[in-house]
mmCIF file with all atom_site columns, all heavy atoms in Angstrom:
data_model
loop_
_atom_site.group_PDB
_atom_site.id
_atom_site.type_symbol
_atom_site.label_atom_id
_atom_site.label_alt_id
_atom_site.label_comp_id
_atom_site.label_asym_id
_atom_site.label_entity_id
_atom_site.label_seq_id
_atom_site.pdbx_PDB_ins_code
_atom_site.Cartn_x
_atom_site.Cartn_y
_atom_site.Cartn_z
_atom_site.occupancy
_atom_site.B_iso_or_equiv
_atom_site.pdbx_formal_charge
_atom_site.auth_seq_id
_atom_site.auth_comp_id
_atom_site.auth_asym_id
_atom_site.auth_atom_id
_atom_site.pdbx_PDB_model_num
ATOM 1  N N   . GLU B 1 36 ? -30.591 15.208 -20.157 1.00 0.00 ? 36 GLU B N   1
ATOM 2  C CA  . GLU B 1 36 ? -30.369 16.586 -19.598 1.00 0.00 ? 36 GLU B CA  1
ATOM 3  C C   . GLU B 1 36 ? -29.303 17.327 -20.305 1.00 0.00 ? 36 GLU B C   1
ATOM 4  O O   . GLU B 1 36 ? -28.413 16.777 -20.853 1.00 0.00 ? 36 GLU B O   1
ATOM 5  C CB  . GLU B 1 36 ? -30.134 16.361 -18.135 1.00 0.00 ? 36 GLU B CB  1
ATOM 6  C CG  . GLU B 1 36 ? -31.154 15.927 -17.229 1.00 0.00 ? 36 GLU B CG  1
ATOM 7  C CD  . GLU B 1 36 ? -30.787 15.993 -15.818 1.00 0.00 ? 36 GLU B CD  1
ATOM 8  O OE1 . GLU B 1 36 ? -29.919 16.685 -15.433 1.00 0.00 ? 36 GLU B OE1 1
ATOM 9  O OE2 . GLU B 1 36 ? -31.457 15.264 -15.025 1.00 0.00 ? 36 GLU B OE2 1
ATOM 10 N N   . ASP B 1 37 ? -29.350 18.567 -20.298 1.00 0.00 ? 37 ASP B N   1
ATOM 11 C CA  . ASP B 1 37 ? -28.371 19.562 -20.900 1.00 0.00 ? 37 ASP B CA  1
ATOM 12 C C   . ASP B 1 37 ? -27.070 19.375 -20.150 1.00 0.00 ? 37 ASP B C   1
ATOM 13 O O   . ASP B 1 37 ? -27.068 19.340 -18.933 1.00 0.00 ? 37 ASP B O   1
ATOM 14 C CB  . ASP B 1 37 ? -28.875 20.960 -20.965 1.00 0.00 ? 37 ASP B CB  1
ATOM 15 C CG  . ASP B 1 37 ? -27.954 21.895 -21.720 1.00 0.00 ? 37 ASP B CG  1
ATOM 16 O OD1 . ASP B 1 37 ? -27.173 21.322 -22.428 1.00 0.00 ? 37 ASP B OD1 1
ATOM 17 O OD2 . ASP B 1 37 ? -28.131 23.138 -21.561 1.00 0.00 ? 37 ASP B OD2 1
ATOM 18 N N   . GLU B 1 38 ? -25.947 19.404 -20.704 1.00 0.00 ? 38 GLU B N   1
ATOM 19 C CA  . GLU B 1 38 ? -24.597 19.443 -20.048 1.00 0.00 ? 38 GLU B CA  1
ATOM 20 C C   . GLU B 1 38 ? -24.462 20.471 -19.000 1.00 0.00 ? 38 GLU B C   1
ATOM 21 O O   . GLU B 1 38 ? -23.818 20.295 -18.008 1.00 0.00 ? 38 GLU B O   1
ATOM 22 C CB  . GLU B 1 38 ? -23.546 19.482 -21.008 1.00 0.00 ? 38 GLU B CB  1
ATOM 23 C CG  . GLU B 1 38 ? -23.387 18.218 -21.840 1.00 0.00 ? 38 GLU B CG  1
ATOM 24 C CD  . GLU B 1 38 ? -22.307 18.350 -22.879 1.00 0.00 ? 38 GLU B CD  1
ATOM 25 O OE1 . GLU B 1 38 ? -21.354 19.209 -22.717 1.00 0.00 ? 38 GLU B OE1 1
ATOM 26 O OE2 . GLU B 1 38 ? -22.276 17.585 -23.831 1.00 0.00 ? 38 GLU B OE2 1
ATOM 27 N N   . SER B 1 39 ? -25.070 21.637 -19.211 1.00 0.00 ? 39 SER B N   1
ATOM 28 C CA  . SER B 1 39 ? -24.871 22.740 -18.276 1.00 0.00 ? 39 SER B CA  1
ATOM 29 C C   . SER B 1 39 ? -25.823 22.628 -17.065 1.00 0.00 ? 39 SER B C   1
ATOM 30 O O   . SER B 1 39 ? -25.894 23.530 -16.252 1.00 0.00 ? 39 SER B O   1
ATOM 31 C CB  . SER B 1 39 ? -25.131 24.090 -18.982 1.00 0.00 ? 39 SER B CB  1
ATOM 32 O OG  . SER B 1 39 ? -26.560 24.121 -19.456 1.00 0.00 ? 39 SER B OG  1
ATOM 33 N N   . ASP B 1 40 ? -26.569 21.568 -16.938 1.00 0.00 ? 40 ASP B N   1
ATOM 34 C CA  . ASP B 1 40 ? -27.667 21.493 -15.832 1.00 0.00 ? 40 ASP B CA  1
ATOM 35 C C   . ASP B 1 40 ? -26.920 21.274 -14.520 1.00 0.00 ? 40 ASP B C   1
ATOM 36 O O   . ASP B 1 40 ? -27.511 21.505 -13.499 1.00 0.00 ? 40 ASP B O   1
ATOM 37 C CB  . ASP B 1 40 ? -28.546 20.334 -15.975 1.00 0.00 ? 40 ASP B CB  1
ATOM 38 C CG  . ASP B 1 40 ? -29.541 20.611 -17.191 1.00 0.00 ? 40 ASP B CG  1
ATOM 39 O OD1 . ASP B 1 40 ? -29.611 21.853 -17.495 1.00 0.00 ? 40 ASP B OD1 1
ATOM 40 O OD2 . ASP B 1 40 ? -30.209 19.845 -17.512 1.00 0.00 ? 40 ASP B OD2 1
ATOM 41 N N   . GLY B 1 41 ? -25.733 20.836 -14.403 1.00 0.00 ? 41 GLY B N   1
ATOM 42 C CA  . GLY B 1 41 ? -25.013 20.581 -13.176 1.00 0.00 ? 41 GLY B CA  1
ATOM 43 C C   . GLY B 1 41 ? -23.534 20.217 -13.305 1.00 0.00 ? 41 GLY B C   1
ATOM 44 O O   . GLY B 1 41 ? -23.056 19.961 -14.473 1.00 0.00 ? 41 GLY B O   1
ATOM 45 N N   . PRO B 1 42 ? -22.786 20.073 -12.234 1.00 0.00 ? 42 PRO B N   1
ATOM 46 C CA  . PRO B 1 42 ? -21.358 19.648 -12.268 1.00 0.00 ? 42 PRO B CA  1
ATOM 47 C C   . PRO B 1 42 ? -21.226 18.207 -12.692 1.00 0.00 ? 42 PRO B C   1
ATOM 48 O O   . PRO B 1 42 ? -22.235 17.403 -12.653 1.00 0.00 ? 42 PRO B O   1
ATOM 49 C CB  . PRO B 1 42 ? -20.952 19.833 -10.958 1.00 0.00 ? 42 PRO B CB  1
ATOM 50 C CG  . PRO B 1 42 ? -21.972 19.696 -9.965  1.00 0.00 ? 42 PRO B CG  1
ATOM 51 C CD  . PRO B 1 42 ? -23.192 20.320 -10.826 1.00 0.00 ? 42 PRO B CD  1
#
Side-chain angles (χ1 to χ4, degrees):
E36 290 188 22
D37 188 13
E38 291 178 14
S39 62
D40 287 347

